[in-house]
Amino acid sequence: MSVLDLLRQEFVRNAFLAGTIIAVVSGIVGYFVILRGQAFAAETLSHVGFAGAAGAALIGINSLVGMSILTVLTAIGMGSLGQRMKGRDVEVGMVLSFMLGLGVLFLSLYTQNATRAVNLLFGSILSVTREDVILTLGSSAVVLITLIVSFRPLLFASLDPVAAEARGVPVQFLSVLFLLVLALTVSQAVEVVGALLVFTLLVVPAASAERFAIRPFSALILSVIISLFSTWAGLLLSLVGHQPASFYIVAFTSLFYILSCLAPRFHVSGRYRELPHPSREV
Amino acid sequence: MFNIFQYGFIQNAFVAGSIVAVVTALLGYFLIVRGLTFAGHALSNVGFAGAAGAVLAGIHPVYGLLLFTVGAGAVISVLGKRIRERDVAVGVVMTFALGLGILFLSLYHGFAESAYSILFGSILGISQSDVVVTAVFSLAIILSLVFLARPLMFSSFDPEIADARGVPVRALDIIFLILVALAISVAMQIVGVLIVFALLVGPAATANRLTPRPARAMGLAILLGWTYTWLGIFLAANTVFPVSFFVASLSFIVYLPVRLLSSRWWRRGLRGGNVRA
Amino acid sequence: MQDSIILENVGVRFGELSILSDVNLSIRAGEFIVVLGPNGAGKTTLLKLLLGLIRPSAGKIQVLGRTPRRGNQAIGYVPQHRVIEPETPLRARDLVGFGLDGHRWGIGFPGRSRRETIDRALDEVDTLSLAESPVGLLSGGEQQRLMIAQALLTNPQILLLDEPLANLDLAHQQEAVSLISRICKTRGASTLLVSHDINPLLQVTDRVLFLARSHAAIGAPSEVINNETLSRLYGLPVEVARVADRFFVLGAEL
């Protein structure tokens, strides 16, 4: 069967639809994750997503719904820690391991089904259904509209929370709001790459983009391009090569990140160059 | 209920689990005070790739684990110092390794089942020789820690002065993460790579909130680690649920109230207690 | 008397950036020196040179008759203040103890003499009553004292203090200054104290080392902090006003 024939298949079209939506949303949300230094929080929410999906399987509801409920609840809990979230690695880590344990429990209650567990952890984009696509679309719309409405204050609050607060930006509220957005996005991304690999869509493209471009808008666009390219290329290669799509997606985003580390940081060369200085904190 | 102790594999699990709990509690203490929680999590996930590769190559998973976690530990320790950038770099190493792991497993026939046992551990599979391997590695790690104890403490809390005093701070960064990598490799067969993290961080996080004395915190972490592991194995052997669930939940359930109440104890510890005139 | 620190034509470059060039000075044993200068003038670099953490790209340095080397126990170093997290699981006693044996391999066993040595150091900086308190809960001034106690544990002949007054209010600044000068006098240790303000230190300082634009000038406060010397150092007109025995530098950032 040629690739073109494959693309006419229902399940392949669903995969591409869902993959595209999720890549765009994660590219944008990821930009803010980097800006706010919440990579570990994103990683933790993805493990919460794992527990949510396993719980959903147990009680027989759609996994996206289960993930969204549990991640949103956790996001509210984390958000109520507020500014104290920063440097709270240990607390975040404890939540992470507890959620993994919970996910393991749900799965073992479910049928002791190993395949199911592996799909949740590493993604099964090719088994996405029409219903999943519609749910993904709905939840993405919520995420995107929220981001568009709150874009400027969110950017301000992420870059300089103290100044933003002084200017009357509701920093605390935005911090909770963003975690909710992050929760929904993570839940979607789990479907494509699985709970263990959410980082690859949600953080890596934005981190690479941020090294290439300094203006928020161009960084955002670049981040979306990287995550879209990786997702599409991953899906195509997985159809041809029969290896899991998540592996190829990870390989591509990692490649972009390495390239971004090697590339000179040209955006700073014109105006301001950081020179090595012994008295500057490294 | 207690007749489970007749079984050889349960005895093996208890012995191996007890040894592993000591090692993870000690390393976990340093992991937390050095702010490397995320790196610990990443290293355990990297272990998955190693184990999966070993399964594919038909060798004992522990060899693959050692290769991957030690390699990744070295890479992570030389990455950037600024926490925000380091988190991302660590995450890239982690996800790339996980991606490799899933590739290895998909190339292997008994795909899902072997992935499941690597991820979540299986106490049923612990043999006498596993116990010996665990004991040997753990002893090596503990001896290294004893040797490194004071410079490691010094550089964890004040790297700048330690450097000026001639402590090899950079080398210690690398050696420490390699020790963590070794510990993850031996702990993995008990609780699985995903929940090794719970044993690393859980006991030490709780202990650190209970006392500001380093020696006491480490001792307390070991006691907590034993409690979680023994209870976990005991409960798992008597129910259908995996050890990893019990270990993760127990450590979280103990941690939560301690975390919420401890700020009050800390304040009281100030200027009080056994102050000598 | 033997000079404890000698710099001859010392220069430090990082790529194209020159941090220090052609610096000459010698510091006598027991001398109290205040190091002044704008940000990026090379004050911290100078301390790192003496500690052997960076090598000069030109010139010669002698610290107590030898070239600087890392881990020199004859130097006590107190770096710039940094925030200690409130929940750091460490007591004041443990933090100070690093100064005694933190660099030694092995566990080290707590003994009576170790305890007494640490108590003496804590007492010297008036913090004995805080020995068992978690360090993160102490005030900035108290933490500063602990760092000084830690630096004193090896009986150093040279004390290097990087901006010890930066995070203290006026009253605590005075306390810290009298503590440091007392230590300098009783122990006869040469002291280099980096500061942004000479005024709280005028009573205790022997000489001032002023760094600007990678050059240095050293001498008694009034010899260095005057229109002529500072204008030469900065390369632009600088006015020094002297009001009620205090120096105010106008036209340049200190």
Side-chain angles (χ1 to χ4, degrees):
Chain A
M1 203 166 11
S2 79
V3 177
L4 279 178
D5 290 331
L6 268 174
L7 288 179
R8 266 181 229 117
Q9 303 272 323
E10 165 86 11
F11 78 99
V12 176
R13 259 184 297 154
N14 285 341
F16 267 93
L17 270 176
T20 306
I21 302 167
I22 293 164
V24 171
V25 174
S26 346
I28 298 171
V29 173
Y31 174 73
F32 286 100
V33 172
I34 292 293
L35 217 53
R36 302 172 69 86
Q38 289 182 332
F40 197 19
E43 170 76 5
T44 298
L45 281 175
S46 72
H47 288 69
V48 176
F50 167 66
L58 184 63
I59 57 175
I61 57 173
N62 185 291
S63 63
L64 187 59
V65 176
M67 283 191 280
S68 300
I69 294 174
L70 206 56
T71 50
V72 162
L73 286 178
T74 313
I76 293 173
M78 282 158 82
S80 62
L81 277 171
Q83 282 303 312
R84 290 175 291 160
M85 264 280 290
K86 279 208 176 118
R88 289 279 177 247
D89 275 12
V90 177
E91 284 84 344
V92 171
M94 289 301 297
V95 174
L96 184 151
S97 72
F98 176 58
M99 282 299 167
L100 264 177
L102 211 59
V104 173
L105 171 74
F106 290 154
L107 274 182
S108 67
L109 284 173
Y110 182 61
T111 42
Q112 306 243 14
N113 183 336
T115 311
R116 175 89 206 175
V118 172
N119 281 348
L120 278 179
L121 289 168
F122 295 104
S124 53
I125 178 76
L126 293 178
S127 60
V128 166
T129 62
R130 192 97 236 168
E131 188 198 348
D132 292 329
V133 175
I134 293 165
L135 278 172
T136 306
L137 197 62
S139 121
S140 300
V142 173
V143 167
L144 285 180
I145 291 169
T146 313
L147 278 182
I148 289 168
V149 171
S150 61
F151 186 81
R152 276 177 300 175
L154 186 61
L155 195 62
F156 194 9
S158 308
L159 286 169
D160 192 344
V162 180
E165 184 113 57
R167 286 286 297 278
V169 174
V171 175
Q172 175 71 33
F173 169 76
L174 282 173
S175 142
V176 178
L177 188 74
F178 180 71
L179 279 172
L180 292 179
V181 164
L182 185 59
L184 289 179
T185 315
V186 164
S187 307
Q188 299 173 18
V190 168
E191 284 193 301
V192 183
V193 285
L196 290 183
L197 297 172
V198 162
F199 204 88
T200 207
L201 268 191
L202 204 55
V203 178
V204 183
S208 322
E210 196 215 29
R211 281 169 167 270
F212 280 122
I214 195 167
R215 285 169 49 205
F217 199 67
S218 45
L220 260 176
I221 298 289
L222 195 58
S223 163
V224 170
I225 291 174
I226 292 175
S227 77
L228 256 185
F229 177 84
S230 306
T231 309
W232 282 344
L235 272 172
L236 275 177
L237 282 175
S238 138
L239 290 172
V240 180
H242 304 289
Q243 303 309 334
S246 28
F247 163 68
Y248 292 112
I249 298 177
V250 168
F252 277 112
T253 56
S254 304
L255 184 68
F256 279 114
Y257 184 75
I258 292 165
L259 286 179
S260 79
C261 290
L262 296 178
R265 308 192 93 180
F266 54 85
H267 60 266
V268 283
S269 62
R271 278 167 295 168
Y272 168 76
R273 186 158 19 153
E274 205 171 16
L275 286 162
H277 191 291
S279 67
R280 188 172 288 135
E281 290 265 356
V282 187
Chain B
M1 184 176 187
F2 287 95
N3 53 13
I4 53 160
F5 292 106
Q6 296 162 4
Y7 300 106
F9 70 90
I10 294 283
Q11 290 165 6
N12 290 343
F14 265 92
V15 175
S18 310
I19 302 170
V20 162
V22 175
V23 173
T24 50
L26 291 177
L27 285 170
Y29 173 82
F30 286 105
L31 206 61
I32 289 176
V33 297
R34 293 173 86 86
L36 287 172
T37 321
F38 187 49
H41 165 69
L43 276 186
S44 3
N45 280 355
V46 167
F48 170 74
V55 167
L56 183 65
I59 54 176
H60 195 284
V62 94
Y63 299 115
L65 268 159
L66 285 173
L67 184 70
F68 270 68
T69 53
V70 170
V75 170
I76 288 172
S77 58
V78 298
L79 289 174
K81 277 271 151 203
R82 256 180 297 183
I83 291 194
R84 181 181 291 202
E85 284 187 10
R86 192 180 62 193
D87 269 6
V88 174
V90 166
V92 172
V93 173
M94 173 186 84
T95 46
F96 183 67
L98 281 169
L100 271 186
I102 196 68
L103 174 71
F104 292 155
L105 277 185
S106 72
L107 294 171
Y108 178 72
H109 193 59
F111 178 56
E113 282 70 23
S114 45
Y116 192 84
S117 77
I118 293 168
L119 290 167
F120 302 115
S122 59
I123 47 163
L124 302 172
I126 299 174
S127 66
Q128 201 100 47
S129 68
D130 287 334
V131 175
V132 175
V133 171
T134 305
V136 170
F137 272 103
S138 304
L139 194 66
I141 296 171
I142 292 173
L143 287 179
S144 316
L145 273 181
V146 167
F147 179 65
L148 299 174
R150 281 184 290 184
L152 195 59
M153 282 288 285
F154 197 179
S155 67
S156 303
F157 284 103
D158 209 326
E160 199 181 346
I161 303 183
D163 189 25
R165 284 293 297 277
V167 173
V169 177
R170 294 295 291 156
L172 280 176
D173 281 346
I174 300 172
I175 294 169
F176 174 69
L177 274 182
I178 288 175
L179 289 180
V180 173
L182 292 176
I184 287 170
S185 303
V186 295
M188 164 258 162
Q189 48 198 339
I190 317 286
V191 286
V193 286
L194 284 184
I195 314 266
V196 166
F197 184 66
L199 269 184
L200 268 176
V201 174
T206 308
N208 271 351
R209 303 297 310 205
L210 290 171
T211 171
R213 291 164 177 252
R216 270 192 205 173
M218 285 186 231
L220 205 56
I222 292 174
L223 288 180
L224 288 169
W226 278 337
T227 313
Y228 303 153
T229 317
W230 291 338
L231 267 175
I233 294 173
F234 178 73
L235 290 170
N238 281 294
T239 58
V240 295
F241 310 128
V243 184
S244 41
F245 162 68
F246 289 112
V247 169
S249 310
L250 284 168
S251 63
F252 187 73
I253 290 166
V254 175
Y255 174 75
L256 198 61
V258 169
R259 171 72 186 81
L260 293 177
L261 298 174
S262 61
S263 46
R264 205 170 299 166
W265 304 331
W266 276 92
R267 298 281 154 201
R268 209 186 304 154
L270 180 67
R271 285 163 229 272
N274 44 351
V275 175
R276 304 193 320 174
Chain C
M1 205 190 290
Q2 169 88 43
D3 284 337
S4 55
I5 296 171
I6 301 169
L7 268 72
E8 284 171 15
N9 308 321
V10 168
V12 176
R13 305 181 68 82
F14 288 98
E16 298 186 357
L17 189 71
S18 167
I19 310 278
L20 292 174
S21 72
D22 207 20
V23 174
N24 288 287
L25 55 95
S26 62
I27 291 165
R28 289 183 293 278
E31 213 177 357
F32 194 115
I33 307 277
V34 175
V35 185
L36 294 169
N39 287 327
K43 295 176 303 221
T44 302
T45 306
L46 177 70
L47 300 193
K48 293 198 168 167
L49 277 175
L50 300 178
L51 287 165
L53 294 178
I54 48 179
R55 306 238 157 271
S57 24
K60 237 175 74 182
I61 305 178
Q62 289 226 312
V63 174
L64 302 167
R66 302 181 53 175
T67 43
R69 61 196 160 88
R70 273 176 77 233
N72 189 345
Q73 303 226 2
I75 302 182
Y77 172 48
V78 180
Q80 275 180 40
H81 180 78
R82 77 191 159 84
V83 178
I84 302 179
E85 289 283 315
E87 283 116 18
T88 306
L90 199 71
R91 294 169 304 165
R93 168 183 301 290
D94 303 313
L95 184 73
V96 173
F98 287 145
L100 189 63
D101 53 8
H103 59 289
R104 298 232 174 95
W105 304 110
I107 292 185
F109 290 96
R112 172 109 67 90
S113 73
R114 181 179 190 275
R115 193 180 172 88
E116 280 168 0
T117 313
I118 293 172
D119 280 352
R120 266 199 307 279
L122 285 164
D123 201 25
E124 194 169 352
V125 297
D126 305 325
T127 49
L128 190 54
S129 61
L130 305 173
E132 311 292 326
S133 306
V135 278
L137 297 183
L138 302 178
S139 72
E142 288 164 339
Q143 289 173 0
Q144 187 88 62
R145 283 158 182 272
L146 294 179
M147 301 311 286
I148 295 174
Q150 189 197 64
L152 291 178
L153 272 173
T154 49
N155 287 318
Q157 289 160 266
I158 297 174
L159 262 182
L160 305 179
L161 303 132
D162 202 346
E163 305 216 17
L165 309 181
N167 293 285
L168 304 179
D169 59 41
L170 276 176
H172 284 100
Q173 279 191 0
Q174 279 309 329
E175 266 178 40
V177 168
S178 59
L179 172 74
I180 294 165
S181 81
R182 191 179 82 214
I183 290 166
C184 173
K185 291 283 170 301
T186 54
R187 289 175 170 255
S190 314
T191 304
L192 263 76
L193 188 155
V194 173
S195 177
H196 270 287
D197 186 3
I198 178 69
N199 290 317
L201 295 152
L202 267 180
Q203 300 301 318
V204 298
T205 185
D206 294 317
R207 285 193 292 165
V208 168
L209 172 62
F210 206 111
L211 296 172
R213 291 199 314 151
S214 79
H215 290 284
I218 188 163
S222 54
E223 283 169 35
V224 175
I225 309 175
N226 55 42
N227 296 356
E228 194 199 336
T229 315
L230 288 194
S231 299
R232 179 167 51 78
L233 269 180
Y234 278 98
L236 45 91
V238 175
E239 290 262 346
V240 176
R242 203 156 176 191
V243 183
D245 267 340
R246 294 168 67 83
F247 288 102
F248 296 94
V249 177
L250 313 168
E253 155 220 17
L254 192 61

